[in-house]
Amino acid sequence: MEVAAPGLHHLTAVTADPRANVQFYTRVLGLRLVKRTVNFDDPSAYHLYYGDTAGTPGTLLTFFHWPGAARGRVGTGQVAGIQLSTAGGSLDFWADRLRAVGCPVETGQRFGEPLVRTADPDGIAVEILACREDPRPGWSGADIPAPHQLRGMAGAELRVRDPGRTLRVLRELLGWREERVEAGRRRLVAGPGQPGHWLDLVGDEAAEPGRPGTGTVHHLALRSADAGVSERLRARLLASGDAPSALIDRTYFRSVYFREPGGILLEIATDGPGFLVDETPETLGAGLMLPPAFEPARAAIVAALPPLAP
Ligand code: ZN
């Protein structure tokens, strides 16, 4: 297939407490805060981006701050949580590090590979998977020894009541291919099939539908090479009866949104222009970046945001 969305771009979740969020993702997990900005629809709330050194697609976790919002419920029609990749042999390091700061730790296995499961301050499930083949470097600016650094998203778990129609969209419209099945879990891969190019589709007819709110994943973005590919994928979705948005300028990428048949909000995001459009590699994430329309109100916006420093 010549036009496809061959990998994960970012995952966006919802936090009630941006300060605890920054502490956990930068100080505990050792990711780089690559952009601090505000919700473009509501500048009284943060939008925070974490990733590797440059904020490479596939390493990005982003969080909407919804002040005062109710806690959501994880269920069908949602992405279940966050999956991050580390090297084989690093799980003991992560289990010890998480326990040392009071985070819950469980161990498990998936498709024969071990994992450690914890929860972030909002209760979002965070899994660290020992991945054999992941050439991506981590971010070396935190206190994580190089062999143990987190290298980006491993995959994402899509939970739906009826996986059949979701599977059709992923395979026929977006170019993913089914690779393995284990205990009701289908692993789809795209592109090179390495970590950052996995989706696990889990069907559960009996499960409750998810409810949006803090502590849940809001949407998952898949990669597109450029705006031309996004437009062609959009046309394909339209032709098959889906209802994608227009191509929207998100400053750091261009996005098309649509709700797949299982109810999950998906995005197709371009690899470029990336996070260096308004900051240098050295200062990435250091300042509050505002869209031009909000700049005249910067002082008032900053004064209303909760401080992120400890
Ligand atoms: Zn997004």
Side-chain angles (χ1 to χ4, degrees):
M1 179 182 293
E2 61 172 71
V3 176
L8 306 180
H9 188 287
H10 67 266
L11 173 149
T12 295
V14 185
T15 180
D17 183 347
R19 186 163 150 159
N21 187 264
V22 170
Q23 293 270 342
F24 180 77
Y25 285 96
T26 64
R27 300 213 175 168
V28 179
L29 296 189
L31 305 183
R32 186 176 194 187
L33 178 62
V34 293
K35 196 65 65 182
R36 61 178 89 194
T37 183
V38 293
N39 186 328
F40 288 7
D41 300 317
D42 172 12
S44 71
Y46 283 110
H47 189 180
L48 302 169
Y49 293 76
Y50 307 93
D52 69 357
T53 307
T56 308
T59 72
L60 294 165
L61 304 177
T62 102
F63 290 84
F64 292 141
H65 169 211
W66 286 4
R71 181 87 181 253
R73 178 179 64 206
V74 179
T76 56
Q78 280 183 341
V79 174
I82 291 167
Q83 298 181 356
L84 297 166
S85 163
T86 192
S90 292
L91 292 186
D92 287 346
F93 168 88
W94 281 106
D96 290 346
R97 185 175 175 92
L98 291 162
R99 283 195 192 98
V101 293
C103 291
V105 173
E106 293 172 26
T107 57
Q109 277 218 353
R110 185 168 303 138
F111 292 114
E113 294 187 314
L115 62 87
V116 162
R117 184 181 297 111
T118 187
D120 84 355
D122 287 286
I124 297 172
V126 176
E127 294 178 336
I128 298 175
L129 287 74
C131 297
R132 280 190 286 270
E133 289 181 26
D134 192 345
R136 299 174 294 179
W139 158 238
S140 56
D143 66 335
I144 313 287
H148 303 313
Q149 286 161 10
L150 300 176
R151 301 175 298 194
M153 278 191 282
E157 179 177 320
L158 309 182
R159 283 195 196 164
V160 296
R161 289 177 77 89
D162 169 13
R165 292 186 303 159
T166 300
L167 188 61
R168 188 187 70 81
V169 168
L170 293 172
R171 282 202 309 211
E172 297 176 16
L173 304 182
L174 301 177
W176 290 64
R177 52 193 190 273
E178 193 169 335
E179 191 185 64
R180 338 167 54 170
V181 179
E182 173 188 275
R185 172 183 297 269
R186 287 181 171 85
R187 164 83 35 104
L188 289 105
V189 302
Q194 291 168 330
H197 305 266
W198 300 346
L199 286 174
D200 285 357
L201 181 59
V202 177
D204 187 347
E205 284 191 352
E208 292 280 318
R211 190 177 59 227
T214 64
T216 63
V217 176
H218 187 269
H219 66 266
L220 177 71
L222 307 179
R223 293 175 68 166
S224 145
D226 56 42
V229 170
S230 294
E231 289 286 18
R232 279 179 279 167
L233 288 170
R234 181 174 179 277
R236 187 183 285 166
L237 288 162
L238 275 172
S240 78
D242 292 286
S245 73
L247 187 68
I248 298 170
D249 183 354
R250 292 301 190 195
T251 304
Y252 310 110
F253 36 83
R254 312 275 178 265
S255 298
V256 171
Y257 301 85
F258 69 102
R259 208 169 280 283
E260 58 79 34
I264 299 169
L265 183 60
L266 294 179
E267 173 181 349
I268 296 166
T270 54
D271 282 354
F275 290 89
L276 299 177
V277 293
D278 55 4
E279 289 180 291
T280 66
E282 295 74 28
T283 61
L284 210 56
L288 181 72
M289 295 296 117
L290 295 177
F294 291 148
E295 276 297 345
R298 171 176 282 272
I301 288 171
V302 169
L305 289 168
L308 293 181

